[in-house]
Amino acid sequence: MKNNQIPFASHSKTFNARFQLVNLISVILFFGFGLCFGMILTFHLKNVSFNLQFTQFSLSTDTEIDNHGVFSSPPPPPPKIRLENYIHPTEVMHDLSDRELIWRASMVPKVAQYPFDRTPKVAFMFLTRGSVLLSPLWEMFFKGYNGLFNIYVHSSGPPSNWTEPEVHSVFHGRRIPSKDVEWGKVSMIEAERRLLANALLDFSNQRFVLLSETCIPLFNFTTVYSYLINSNHNFVESYDLPGPVGRGRYSSKMYPTVKITEWRKGSQWFEMNRDLAIEVISDTIYFPVFQDYCNGSCYADEHYLPTFVTRKFGGQNANRTLTFVDWSKGGPHPTRYLRYDVTKEFLEKLRGDMNCEYNGKSNQACHLFARKFTPHALDRLLRLAPKVMQFNP
């Protein structure tokens, strides 16, 4: 009986041992599977978390949430500053002081060769007491020649004197920051320097002509443009005049910067090239003397430029003005032309003065412009201009 029970116990122990081994292997396999699953799950969750954070970051950079919780696009980046912004400013209004403006305009590139295709332009600078009264005539003069000129208007007096031209006008948006000007005072020179400085900001401007609201052109645009651009000289009238209205206006307080033998007189209506324009606005020697001592009956506008140009740049000056003015009747103001004065014969006479030298050649036109024409003469000027001045109709 005992012998029969021994095999049964032996088989039972063997079975238990095998069952425990199977259990151990199962536990090991289950543990290994769990470990692998855990590692895979952990890696996957990290990936999901990173992607979620990256997506949130992308959303935060691409959109913004306003006060109402609504997503909105961020403002566009600021426009890049191009070379065009420096060399061809389109807006003439600014908040620069005169000192800041002149400092900026007096900058001259050291590299002589331009990094762009430069078409030289003429800067037409109008010094007025209000709107440009004869603007319809000038509109006719400028028609068809965009890209060859720029216009600048310095208008003094109360704001009511100035009426902004219509959008299609060449004068629209061309009024520069202006200040009050008193006739015959230094403020007249300050206004001229302000016009020059604003015009110098455009690097394409090569010639600079000063005009008033009563000026008219005597020739068509192509003739005027060619005459100015191809000239080897500046046109600043300058002469020595004894007597009370010449040397009699000199103040000994200007000595020694300005000597009486250097004192000159001339018309304020000038035309000059870019180099001289830069020298005029950059003058810190002669101009302050005129500011301090050319007051009252000195009439600074008739003496500053003639004296300064003759003293410093006389060899490049033609010593004449391109603007015709009739002083034959005497008095403090020149002849004014009304409607009945404007005839075909009269305009042809103004154009026909061919007794001046130009680039070494004699018998050339003396004047390109004329003043003083009143608004009452405008209708006749508009009617005669296409025929006499050969304007575009």
Side-chain angles (χ1 to χ4, degrees):
M1 189 71 182
K2 290 180 179 178
N3 291 338
N4 291 335
Q5 291 176 347
I6 291 173
F8 177 79
S10 175
H11 285 295
S12 177
K13 289 179 180 179
T14 303
F15 176 79
N16 288 337
R18 289 178 178 175
F19 180 76
Q20 290 174 356
L21 180 62
V22 170
N23 283 345
L24 178 62
I25 293 173
S26 298
V27 170
I28 292 173
L29 290 174
F30 183 78
F31 176 78
F33 174 78
L35 180 63
C36 290
F37 180 77
M39 293 174 65
I40 292 172
L41 183 62
T42 302
F43 178 77
H44 179 71
L45 289 176
K46 286 183 177 179
N47 238 7
V48 171
S49 175
F50 173 78
N51 289 335
L52 181 60
Q53 291 175 2
F54 181 78
T55 303
Q56 290 175 338
F57 173 76
S58 299
L59 285 173
S60 66
T61 56
D62 294 339
T63 59
E64 294 179 353
I65 303 177
D66 60 18
N67 295 332
H68 302 287
V70 179
F71 286 97
S72 61
S73 300
K80 294 181 179 179
I81 299 178
R82 302 178 298 123
L83 178 63
E84 188 74 12
N85 300 114
Y86 289 106
I87 60 178
H88 302 308
T90 56
E91 300 293 334
V92 297
M93 290 300 293
H94 52 75
D95 59 359
L96 298 178
S97 66
D98 282 353
R99 183 180 179 185
E100 293 168 338
L101 170 65
I102 288 175
W103 176 81
R104 172 65 182 85
S106 64
M107 294 182 180
V108 180
K110 281 289 187 181
V111 179
Q113 187 173 1
Y114 292 97
F116 58 94
D117 293 331
R118 180 178 184 265
T119 299
K121 298 180 182 180
V122 176
F124 291 85
M125 307 180 302
F126 291 83
L127 180 59
T128 74
R129 289 175 291 183
S131 300
V132 181
L133 302 177
L134 302 177
S135 59
L137 180 68
W138 286 101
E139 296 273 3
M140 187 184 295
F141 171 78
F142 289 121
K143 184 180 178 180
Y145 297 101
N146 289 338
L148 297 178
F149 67 91
N150 280 314
I151 295 173
Y152 304 87
V153 181
H154 185 291
S155 176
S156 63
S160 58
N161 285 2
W162 172 260
T163 301
E164 182 63 31
E166 296 181 2
V167 177
H168 66 270
S169 170
V170 294
F171 291 93
H172 178 76
R174 302 312 298 175
R175 181 176 183 264
I176 68 168
S178 307
K179 296 183 180 180
D180 286 340
V181 173
E182 292 185 70
W183 177 69
K185 306 295 184 181
V186 175
S187 58
M188 188 82 73
I189 306 174
E190 293 171 345
E192 294 172 5
R193 285 160 56 95
R194 202 172 294 125
L195 278 165
L196 284 171
N198 277 277
L200 282 167
L201 295 179
D202 191 316
F203 279 80
S204 292
N205 288 331
Q206 182 61 31
R207 306 292 299 203
F208 304 78
V209 55
L210 182 69
L211 302 161
S212 76
E213 69 266 41
T214 65
C215 284
I216 68 166
L218 295 176
F219 296 89
N220 60 27
F221 184 88
T222 54
T223 301
V224 172
Y225 179 85
S226 177
Y227 194 105
L228 299 180
I229 291 296
N230 295 314
S231 175
N232 298 329
H233 296 88
N234 300 298
F235 297 90
V236 178
E237 187 178 50
S238 176
Y239 53 90
D240 183 11
L241 180 66
V245 296
R247 289 196 179 193
R249 295 175 179 174
Y250 171 80
S251 171
S252 59
K253 294 180 180 179
M254 295 181 174
Y255 184 87
T257 306
V258 179
K259 303 178 179 65
I260 192 169
T261 55
E262 300 169 341
W263 184 254
R264 293 293 183 272
K265 179 181 170 67
S267 170
Q268 74 174 108
W269 310 107
F270 62 80
E271 194 284 330
M272 61 181 62
N273 62 23
R274 187 175 186 89
D275 292 339
L276 181 55
I278 293 173
E279 294 293 341
V280 170
I281 68 163
S282 304
D283 173 29
T284 57
I285 297 176
Y286 294 88
F287 181 58
V289 172
F290 277 80
Q291 282 182 307
D292 293 337
Y293 305 118
C294 191
N295 302 303
S297 59
C298 178
Y299 300 104
D301 56 298
E302 295 183 5
H303 295 281
Y304 167 66
L305 275 180
T307 300
F308 173 73
V309 172
T310 301
R311 178 70 177 81
K312 300 287 290 183
F313 310 99
Q316 304 161 22
N317 187 31
N319 287 334
R320 62 184 177 91
T321 179
L322 295 178
T323 302
F324 172 82
V325 184
D326 183 7
W327 290 96
S328 62
K329 295 182 180 179
H333 300 287
T335 301
R336 297 168 70 245
Y337 299 110
L338 305 175
R339 185 177 186 274
Y340 61 82
D341 294 313
V342 179
T343 63
K344 180 174 180 282
E345 293 73 23
F346 173 68
L347 294 177
E348 287 178 343
K349 180 181 178 182
L350 294 179
R351 288 163 45 90
D353 187 358
M354 309 291 285
N355 297 315
C356 292
E357 184 178 300
Y358 173 81
N359 287 351
K361 297 180 181 179
S362 58
N363 299 322
Q364 302 296 309
C366 292
H367 301 109
L368 301 181
F369 313 98
R371 62 186 302 264
K372 280 179 141 179
F373 289 80
T374 67
H376 302 291
L378 181 59
D379 63 332
R380 286 201 176 185
L381 288 169
L382 291 174
R383 180 166 53 86
L384 293 171
K387 298 177 181 179
V388 180
M389 288 93 141
Q390 300 175 0
F391 287 4
N392 292 328

